[in-house]
PDB file of all heavy atoms in Angstrom:
ATOM      1  N   GLN Z 181       0.809  -1.193   0.015  1.00 97.00           N
ATOM      2  CA  GLN Z 181      -0.018  -0.015  -0.014  1.00 97.00           C
ATOM      3  C   GLN Z 181       0.903   1.271  -0.018  1.00 97.00           C
ATOM      4  O   GLN Z 181       0.553   2.211  -0.719  1.00 97.00           O
ATOM      5  CB  GLN Z 181      -0.938  -0.006   1.210  1.00 97.00           C
ATOM      6  CG  GLN Z 181      -1.944  -1.063   1.210  1.00 97.00           C
ATOM      7  CD  GLN Z 181      -2.791  -1.120  -0.069  1.00 97.00           C
ATOM      8  OE1 GLN Z 181      -3.241  -0.113  -0.528  1.00 97.00           O
ATOM      9  NE2 GLN Z 181      -2.864  -2.276  -0.705  1.00 97.00           N
ATOM     10  N   LYS Z 182       1.944   1.247   0.854  1.00 97.00           N
ATOM     11  CA  LYS Z 182       2.833   2.413   0.856  1.00 97.00           C
ATOM     12  C   LYS Z 182       3.557   2.636  -0.498  1.00 97.00           C
ATOM     13  O   LYS Z 182       3.702   3.759  -0.966  1.00 97.00           O
ATOM     14  CB  LYS Z 182       3.890   2.303   1.995  1.00 97.00           C
ATOM     15  CG  LYS Z 182       3.378   2.376   3.351  1.00 97.00           C
ATOM     16  CD  LYS Z 182       4.420   2.195   4.319  1.00 97.00           C
ATOM     17  CE  LYS Z 182       3.937   2.333   5.740  1.00 97.00           C
ATOM     18  NZ  LYS Z 182       5.041   2.078   6.754  1.00 97.00           N
ATOM     19  N   LEU Z 183       3.917   1.541  -1.179  1.00 97.00           N
ATOM     20  CA  LEU Z 183       4.610   1.645  -2.399  1.00 97.00           C
ATOM     21  C   LEU Z 183       3.671   2.116  -3.514  1.00 97.00           C
ATOM     22  O   LEU Z 183       4.014   2.883  -4.373  1.00 97.00           O
ATOM     23  CB  LEU Z 183       5.204   0.299  -2.863  1.00 97.00           C
ATOM     24  CG  LEU Z 183       6.331  -0.159  -1.981  1.00 97.00           C
ATOM     25  CD1 LEU Z 183       6.787  -1.621  -2.345  1.00 97.00           C
ATOM     26  CD2 LEU Z 183       7.529   0.770  -2.147  1.00 97.00           C
ATOM     27  N   SER Z 184       2.399   1.607  -3.458  1.00 97.00           N
ATOM     28  CA  SER Z 184       1.388   2.070  -4.413  1.00 97.00           C
ATOM     29  C   SER Z 184       1.172   3.604  -4.301  1.00 97.00           C
ATOM     30  O   SER Z 184       1.043   4.329  -5.281  1.00 97.00           O
ATOM     31  CB  SER Z 184       0.072   1.296  -4.249  1.00 97.00           C
ATOM     32  OG  SER Z 184       0.184   0.022  -4.534  1.00 97.00           O
ATOM     33  N   ASN Z 185       1.069   4.104  -3.022  1.00 97.00           N
ATOM     34  CA  ASN Z 185       0.850   5.527  -2.804  1.00 97.00           C
ATOM     35  C   ASN Z 185       2.078   6.294  -3.314  1.00 97.00           C
ATOM     36  O   ASN Z 185       2.032   7.382  -3.936  1.00 97.00           O
ATOM     37  CB  ASN Z 185       0.637   5.846  -1.391  1.00 97.00           C
ATOM     38  CG  ASN Z 185      -0.671   5.367  -0.893  1.00 97.00           C
ATOM     39  OD1 ASN Z 185      -1.636   5.080  -1.671  1.00 97.00           O
ATOM     40  ND2 ASN Z 185      -0.829   5.171   0.403  1.00 97.00           N
ATOM     41  N   THR Z 186       3.304   5.731  -3.125  1.00 97.00           N
ATOM     42  CA  THR Z 186       4.549   6.408  -3.578  1.00 97.00           C
ATOM     43  C   THR Z 186       4.586   6.527  -5.078  1.00 97.00           C
ATOM     44  O   THR Z 186       4.909   7.564  -5.627  1.00 97.00           O
ATOM     45  CB  THR Z 186       5.795   5.690  -3.049  1.00 97.00           C
ATOM     46  OG1 THR Z 186       5.698   5.680  -1.586  1.00 97.00           O
ATOM     47  CG2 THR Z 186       7.045   6.305  -3.530  1.00 97.00           C
ATOM     48  N   ALA Z 187       4.209   5.406  -5.691  1.00 97.00           N
ATOM     49  CA  ALA Z 187       4.272   5.429  -7.231  1.00 97.00           C
ATOM     50  C   ALA Z 187       3.165   6.406  -7.741  1.00 97.00           C
ATOM     51  O   ALA Z 187       3.428   7.093  -8.755  1.00 97.00           O
ATOM     52  CB  ALA Z 187       4.047   3.996  -7.780  1.00 97.00           C
ATOM     53  N   ARG Z 188       2.068   6.407  -7.118  1.00 97.00           N
ATOM     54  CA  ARG Z 188       1.003   7.279  -7.530  1.00 97.00           C
ATOM     55  C   ARG Z 188       1.355   8.744  -7.359  1.00 97.00           C
ATOM     56  O   ARG Z 188       1.112   9.585  -8.310  1.00 97.00           O
ATOM     57  CB  ARG Z 188      -0.269   6.961  -6.661  1.00 97.00           C
ATOM     58  CG  ARG Z 188      -1.575   7.653  -7.255  1.00 97.00           C
ATOM     59  CD  ARG Z 188      -2.884   7.254  -6.608  1.00 97.00           C
ATOM     60  NE  ARG Z 188      -2.787   6.763  -5.193  1.00 97.00           N
ATOM     61  CZ  ARG Z 188      -2.811   5.489  -4.833  1.00 97.00           C
ATOM     62  NH1 ARG Z 188      -2.987   4.509  -5.683  1.00 97.00           N
ATOM     63  NH2 ARG Z 188      -2.791   5.201  -3.537  1.00 97.00           N
ATOM     64  N   GLU Z 189       2.031   9.097  -6.287  1.00 97.00           N
ATOM     65  CA  GLU Z 189       2.453  10.481  -6.084  1.00 97.00           C
ATOM     66  C   GLU Z 189       3.511  10.843  -7.017  1.00 97.00           C
ATOM     67  O   GLU Z 189       3.537  11.959  -7.560  1.00 97.00           O
ATOM     68  CB  GLU Z 189       2.947  10.678  -4.660  1.00 97.00           C
ATOM     69  CG  GLU Z 189       1.865  10.704  -3.588  1.00 97.00           C
ATOM     70  CD  GLU Z 189       0.883  11.767  -3.818  1.00 97.00           C
ATOM     71  OE1 GLU Z 189       1.323  12.968  -4.169  1.00 97.00           O
ATOM     72  OE2 GLU Z 189      -0.336  11.536  -3.735  1.00 97.00           O
ATOM     73  N   GLY Z 190       4.401   9.880  -7.398  1.00 97.00           N
ATOM     74  CA  GLY Z 190       5.471  10.195  -8.379  1.00 97.00           C
ATOM     75  C   GLY Z 190       4.916  10.377  -9.693  1.00 97.00           C
ATOM     76  O   GLY Z 190       5.268  11.390 -10.441  1.00 97.00           O
ATOM     77  N   ALA Z 191       3.837   9.598 -10.121  1.00 96.00           N
ATOM     78  CA  ALA Z 191       3.240   9.759 -11.485  1.00 96.00           C
ATOM     79  C   ALA Z 191       2.427  11.050 -11.495  1.00 96.00           C
ATOM     80  O   ALA Z 191       2.425  11.708 -12.527  1.00 96.00           O
ATOM     81  CB  ALA Z 191       2.388   8.575 -11.765  1.00 96.00           C
ATOM     82  N   ARG Z 192       1.763  11.382 -10.435  1.00 97.00           N
ATOM     83  CA  ARG Z 192       0.988  12.565 -10.367  1.00 97.00           C
ATOM     84  C   ARG Z 192       1.924  13.862 -10.481  1.00 97.00           C
ATOM     85  O   ARG Z 192       1.605  14.724 -11.324  1.00 97.00           O
ATOM     86  CB  ARG Z 192       0.217  12.655  -9.098  1.00 97.00           C
ATOM     87  CG  ARG Z 192      -0.798  13.829  -9.032  1.00 97.00           C
ATOM     88  CD  ARG Z 192      -1.632  13.806  -7.707  1.00 97.00           C
ATOM     89  NE  ARG Z 192      -2.419  12.546  -7.669  1.00 97.00           N
ATOM     90  CZ  ARG Z 192      -2.601  11.860  -6.585  1.00 97.00           C
ATOM     91  NH1 ARG Z 192      -2.050  12.156  -5.419  1.00 97.00           N
ATOM     92  NH2 ARG Z 192      -3.357  10.728  -6.580  1.00 97.00           N
ATOM     93  N   PHE Z 193       2.980  13.843  -9.845  1.00 97.00           N
ATOM     94  CA  PHE Z 193       3.936  14.899  -9.899  1.00 97.00           C
ATOM     95  C   PHE Z 193       4.521  15.042 -11.302  1.00 97.00           C
ATOM     96  O   PHE Z 193       4.674  16.048 -11.864  1.00 97.00           O
ATOM     97  CB  PHE Z 193       5.047  14.724  -8.876  1.00 97.00           C
ATOM     98  CG  PHE Z 193       6.205  15.691  -8.894  1.00 97.00           C
ATOM     99  CD1 PHE Z 193       5.941  17.049  -8.594  1.00 97.00           C
ATOM    100  CD2 PHE Z 193       7.431  15.267  -9.252  1.00 97.00           C
ATOM    101  CE1 PHE Z 193       6.934  17.980  -8.681  1.00 97.00           C
ATOM    102  CE2 PHE Z 193       8.505  16.231  -9.306  1.00 97.00           C
ATOM    103  CZ  PHE Z 193       8.238  17.542  -9.035  1.00 97.00           C
ATOM    104  N   ALA Z 194       4.907  13.857 -11.823  1.00 95.00           N
ATOM    105  CA  ALA Z 194       5.546  13.791 -13.197  1.00 95.00           C
ATOM    106  C   ALA Z 194       4.566  14.356 -14.289  1.00 95.00           C
ATOM    107  O   ALA Z 194       4.980  14.991 -15.262  1.00 95.00           O
ATOM    108  CB  ALA Z 194       5.934  12.387 -13.556  1.00 95.00           C
ATOM    109  N   SER Z 195       3.306  14.089 -14.094  1.00 93.00           N
ATOM    110  CA  SER Z 195       2.336  14.561 -15.108  1.00 93.00           C
ATOM    111  C   SER Z 195       2.232  16.049 -15.238  1.00 93.00           C
ATOM    112  O   SER Z 195       1.854  16.560 -16.264  1.00 93.00           O
ATOM    113  CB  SER Z 195       0.898  13.994 -14.842  1.00 93.00           C
ATOM    114  OG  SER Z 195       0.365  14.600 -13.682  1.00 93.00           O
ATOM    115  N   SER Z 196       2.634  16.752 -14.196  1.00 93.00           N
ATOM    116  CA  SER Z 196       2.592  18.225 -14.217  1.00 93.00           C
ATOM    117  C   SER Z 196       3.919  18.854 -14.662  1.00 93.00           C
ATOM    118  O   SER Z 196       3.982  20.048 -14.909  1.00 93.00           O
ATOM    119  CB  SER Z 196       2.309  18.713 -12.833  1.00 93.00           C
ATOM    120  OG  SER Z 196       3.320  18.456 -11.912  1.00 93.00           O
ATOM    121  N   LEU Z 197       4.927  17.995 -14.841  1.00 92.00           N
ATOM    122  CA  LEU Z 197       6.253  18.536 -15.259  1.00 92.00           C
ATOM    123  C   LEU Z 197       6.297  18.596 -16.802  1.00 92.00           C
ATOM    124  O   LEU Z 197       5.702  17.812 -17.543  1.00 92.00           O
ATOM    125  CB  LEU Z 197       7.360  17.598 -14.803  1.00 92.00           C
ATOM    126  CG  LEU Z 197       7.587  17.468 -13.238  1.00 92.00           C
ATOM    127  CD1 LEU Z 197       8.587  16.443 -12.986  1.00 92.00           C
ATOM    128  CD2 LEU Z 197       7.917  18.842 -12.676  1.00 92.00           C
ATOM    129  N   PRO Z 198       7.035  19.588 -17.297  1.00 88.00           N
ATOM    130  CA  PRO Z 198       7.217  19.719 -18.751  1.00 88.00           C
ATOM    131  C   PRO Z 198       8.038  18.523 -19.318  1.00 88.00           C
ATOM    132  O   PRO Z 198       8.875  17.981 -18.669  1.00 88.00           O
ATOM    133  CB  PRO Z 198       7.988  21.022 -18.899  1.00 88.00           C
ATOM    134  CG  PRO Z 198       8.659  21.199 -17.632  1.00 88.00           C
ATOM    135  CD  PRO Z 198       7.841  20.541 -16.560  1.00 88.00           C
ATOM    136  N   THR Z 199       7.757  18.280 -20.602  1.00 85.00           N
ATOM    137  CA  THR Z 199       8.522  17.273 -21.313  1.00 85.00           C
ATOM    138  C   THR Z 199       9.511  17.797 -22.271  1.00 85.00           C
ATOM    139  O   THR Z 199      10.110  17.119 -23.037  1.00 85.00           O
ATOM    140  CB  THR Z 199       7.555  16.302 -22.062  1.00 85.00           C
ATOM    141  OG1 THR Z 199       6.757  17.102 -22.954  1.00 85.00           O
ATOM    142  CG2 THR Z 199       6.597  15.569 -21.078  1.00 85.00           C
ATOM    143  N   THR Z 200       9.768  19.183 -22.182  1.00 85.00           N
ATOM    144  CA  THR Z 200      10.651  19.831 -23.123  1.00 85.00           C
ATOM    145  C   THR Z 200      12.129  19.465 -22.829  1.00 85.00           C
ATOM    146  O   THR Z 200      12.952  19.639 -23.755  1.00 85.00           O
ATOM    147  CB  THR Z 200      10.457  21.344 -23.001  1.00 85.00           C
ATOM    148  OG1 THR Z 200      10.627  21.749 -21.588  1.00 85.00           O
ATOM    149  CG2 THR Z 200       9.066  21.747 -23.514  1.00 85.00           C
ATOM    150  N   ASP Z 201      12.425  18.977 -21.602  1.00 84.00           N
ATOM    151  CA  ASP Z 201      13.857  18.746 -21.346  1.00 84.00           C
ATOM    152  C   ASP Z 201      14.183  17.235 -21.594  1.00 84.00           C
ATOM    153  O   ASP Z 201      15.378  16.822 -21.353  1.00 84.00           O
ATOM    154  CB  ASP Z 201      14.152  19.013 -19.891  1.00 84.00           C
ATOM    155  CG  ASP Z 201      13.451  18.156 -18.870  1.00 84.00           C
ATOM    156  OD1 ASP Z 201      12.407  17.480 -19.301  1.00 84.00           O
ATOM    157  OD2 ASP Z 201      13.746  18.176 -17.703  1.00 84.00           O
ATOM    158  N   LEU Z 202      13.314  16.463 -22.151  1.00 82.00           N
ATOM    159  CA  LEU Z 202      13.524  15.006 -22.348  1.00 82.00           C
ATOM    160  C   LEU Z 202      14.505  14.678 -23.433  1.00 82.00           C
ATOM    161  O   LEU Z 202      15.007  13.586 -23.477  1.00 82.00           O
ATOM    162  CB  LEU Z 202      12.193  14.255 -22.613  1.00 82.00           C
ATOM    163  CG  LEU Z 202      11.172  14.339 -21.460  1.00 82.00           C
ATOM    164  CD1 LEU Z 202       9.912  13.540 -21.802  1.00 82.00           C
ATOM    165  CD2 LEU Z 202      11.746  13.803 -20.176  1.00 82.00           C
ATOM    166  N   ASP Z 203      14.796  15.678 -24.352  1.00 78.00           N
ATOM    167  CA  ASP Z 203      15.742  15.414 -25.401  1.00 78.00           C
ATOM    168  C   ASP Z 203      17.149  15.620 -24.947  1.00 78.00           C
ATOM    169  O   ASP Z 203      18.068  15.468 -25.739  1.00 78.00           O
ATOM    170  CB  ASP Z 203      15.438  16.317 -26.602  1.00 78.00           C
ATOM    171  CG  ASP Z 203      14.080  15.916 -27.293  1.00 78.00           C
ATOM    172  OD1 ASP Z 203      13.730  14.693 -27.208  1.00 78.00           O
ATOM    173  OD2 ASP Z 203      13.474  16.743 -27.938  1.00 78.00           O
ATOM    174  N   ALA Z 204      17.317  16.092 -23.693  1.00 71.00           N
ATOM    175  CA  ALA Z 204      18.686  16.403 -23.243  1.00 71.00           C
ATOM    176  C   ALA Z 204      19.539  15.132 -23.126  1.00 71.00           C
ATOM    177  O   ALA Z 204      19.038  14.012 -22.964  1.00 71.00           O
ATOM    178  CB  ALA Z 204      18.605  17.093 -21.912  1.00 71.00           C
ATOM    179  N   ILE Z 205      20.811  15.284 -23.291  1.00 77.00           N
ATOM    180  CA  ILE Z 205      21.788  14.206 -23.024  1.00 77.00           C
ATOM    181  C   ILE Z 205      21.953  13.943 -21.573  1.00 77.00           C
ATOM    182  O   ILE Z 205      21.981  14.883 -20.769  1.00 77.00           O
ATOM    183  CB  ILE Z 205      23.092  14.460 -23.674  1.00 77.00           C
ATOM    184  CG1 ILE Z 205      22.987  14.654 -25.208  1.00 77.00           C
ATOM    185  CG2 ILE Z 205      24.095  13.389 -23.374  1.00 77.00           C
ATOM    186  CD1 ILE Z 205      24.237  15.051 -25.884  1.00 77.00           C
ATOM    187  N   GLY Z 206      21.869  12.709 -21.206  1.00 79.00           N
ATOM    188  CA  GLY Z 206      21.933  12.300 -19.821  1.00 79.00           C
ATOM    189  C   GLY Z 206      20.477  12.292 -19.206  1.00 79.00           C
ATOM    190  O   GLY Z 206      19.519  12.164 -19.902  1.00 79.00           O
ATOM    191  N   THR Z 207      20.440  12.400 -17.898  1.00 85.00           N
ATOM    192  CA  THR Z 207      19.110  12.374 -17.193  1.00 85.00           C
ATOM    193  C   THR Z 207      18.609  13.783 -17.058  1.00 85.00           C
ATOM    194  O   THR Z 207      19.218  14.655 -16.493  1.00 85.00           O
ATOM    195  CB  THR Z 207      19.287  11.744 -15.818  1.00 85.00           C
ATOM    196  OG1 THR Z 207      19.875  10.403 -15.995  1.00 85.00           O
ATOM    197  CG2 THR Z 207      17.918  11.589 -15.165  1.00 85.00           C
ATOM    198  N   PRO Z 208      17.368  13.985 -17.634  1.00 89.00           N
ATOM    199  CA  PRO Z 208      16.801  15.336 -17.614  1.00 89.00           C
ATOM    200  C   PRO Z 208      16.491  15.744 -16.150  1.00 89.00           C
ATOM    201  O   PRO Z 208      16.184  14.884 -15.304  1.00 89.00           O
ATOM    202  CB  PRO Z 208      15.489  15.225 -18.392  1.00 89.00           C
ATOM    203  CG  PRO Z 208      15.602  13.951 -19.160  1.00 89.00           C
ATOM    204  CD  PRO Z 208      16.555  13.091 -18.402  1.00 89.00           C
TER     205      PRO Z 208
END
């Protein structure tokens, strides 16, 4: 249950982030 909440919060946060930096070399 804790891991499910953690993954959900990570995905929720990620959905609000821009995807414009994904073409960068290395980890954006």
Side-chain angles (χ1 to χ4, degrees):
Q181 296 305 312
K182 288 180 181 179
L183 292 173
S184 294
N185 290 338
T186 299
R188 190 172 31 255
E189 287 301 315
R192 187 176 297 139
F193 176 67
S195 72
S196 67
L197 295 176
T199 57
T200 55
D201 67 346
L202 297 180
D203 290 334
I205 296 175
T207 304

